[in-house]
Amino acid sequence: MQVIFKTTYDQDINLLSKTGEYIRVGLVILLMLIAPLFLDAYYLSELGLLLVYVIAGVGLMMLTGFTGQVSFGHAAFLGIGAYCHSILMTAGTPFILSLMLTVVFTGMVGMLIGRSASKMHGLYLAVATLAFLIIIETVIGEWTSLTGGYAGYAVPELQVFGYYLTEIWHQYYVDLTLALFVIWGAANLLRSPAGRSFLAVRDSELSARSLGVNVEWVKIKSLGISAAIT
């Protein structure tokens, strides 16, 4: 085990603590960038789907891993975001604008849920989030005029800045760009005062309160950010 002796505050908030970590991360990013050169369409589409789940996983990690809040219903935010984004694009909203509006809308839904969830703990929070998932799943399935119900929803072709991204490798690079941006953003968020307050609440709500942290607001904010990422 390598012990790192830190002498400055900048070292404490570095994205990566060791030179070897920068090398490993750089190699992984390089392999992801050149993946379309040696993977066929099927495996590339599966890798792109994996990147989508990586983004959702970062969202869940922000809530559960870094704030210590249980969530069994995070897939509901993934569903809300997917349908909101698709419906906006069907209505003619450009991809980038649609994506940003979806992030804002889903984040607001998360904060509304967080307003009630911030008063719950443990098993009660788990049951509440599971109930939210079941409600959203039912609404998506039954609201056929908006979502298409269980028959599915026809998503328009992906178009960015006037260019149609119809090839698998086009969509893969979109997934990769968003995944890298989300991971970089989440890492920087944890270095900020807001991120440190998340960690304080996770470690001990009582200690966080004694340090002047508004625990309820931190829980609401973390659920909103987590939902927005997802």
Side-chain angles (χ1 to χ4, degrees), residues 90-170:
T90 302
T93 308
F95 174 80
I96 301 298
L97 178 59
S98 173
L99 189 62
M100 291 189 293
L101 291 175
T102 298
V103 168
V104 172
F105 175 75
T106 313
M108 291 177 62
V109 172
M111 293 185 73
L112 288 174
I113 299 301
R115 182 66 181 86
S116 299
S118 64
K119 308 297 182 181
M120 303 177 188
H121 301 273
L123 180 63
Y124 301 100
L125 179 58
V127 172
T129 54
L130 181 60
F132 173 67
L133 170 62
I134 295 172
I135 291 171
I136 294 300
E137 182 183 9
T138 303
V139 169
I140 290 175
E142 299 297 332
W143 198 351
T144 55
S145 61
L146 182 67
T147 66
Y150 297 106
Y153 188 87
V155 181
E157 291 185 343
L158 182 60
Q159 183 181 7
V160 180
F161 300 123
Y163 295 96
Y164 284 97
L165 307 183
T166 56
E167 299 292 335
I168 294 296
W169 66 273
H170 291 160

Side-chain angles (χ1 to χ4, degrees), residues 159-211:
Q159 183 181 7
V160 180
F161 300 123
Y163 295 96
Y164 284 97
L165 307 183
T166 56
E167 299 292 335
I168 294 296
W169 66 273
H170 291 160
Q171 299 170 18
Y172 168 77
Y173 278 125
V174 172
D175 295 334
L176 179 60
T177 300
L178 292 175
L180 291 176
F181 174 77
V182 165
I183 293 171
W184 173 81
N188 278 281
L189 175 63
L190 292 174
R191 302 192 301 169
S192 69
R196 294 302 176 111
S197 68
F198 292 174
L199 299 176
V201 170
R202 179 199 64 186
D203 293 341
S204 172
E205 291 188 17
L206 182 60
S207 298
R209 290 183 192 276
S210 68
L211 292 171

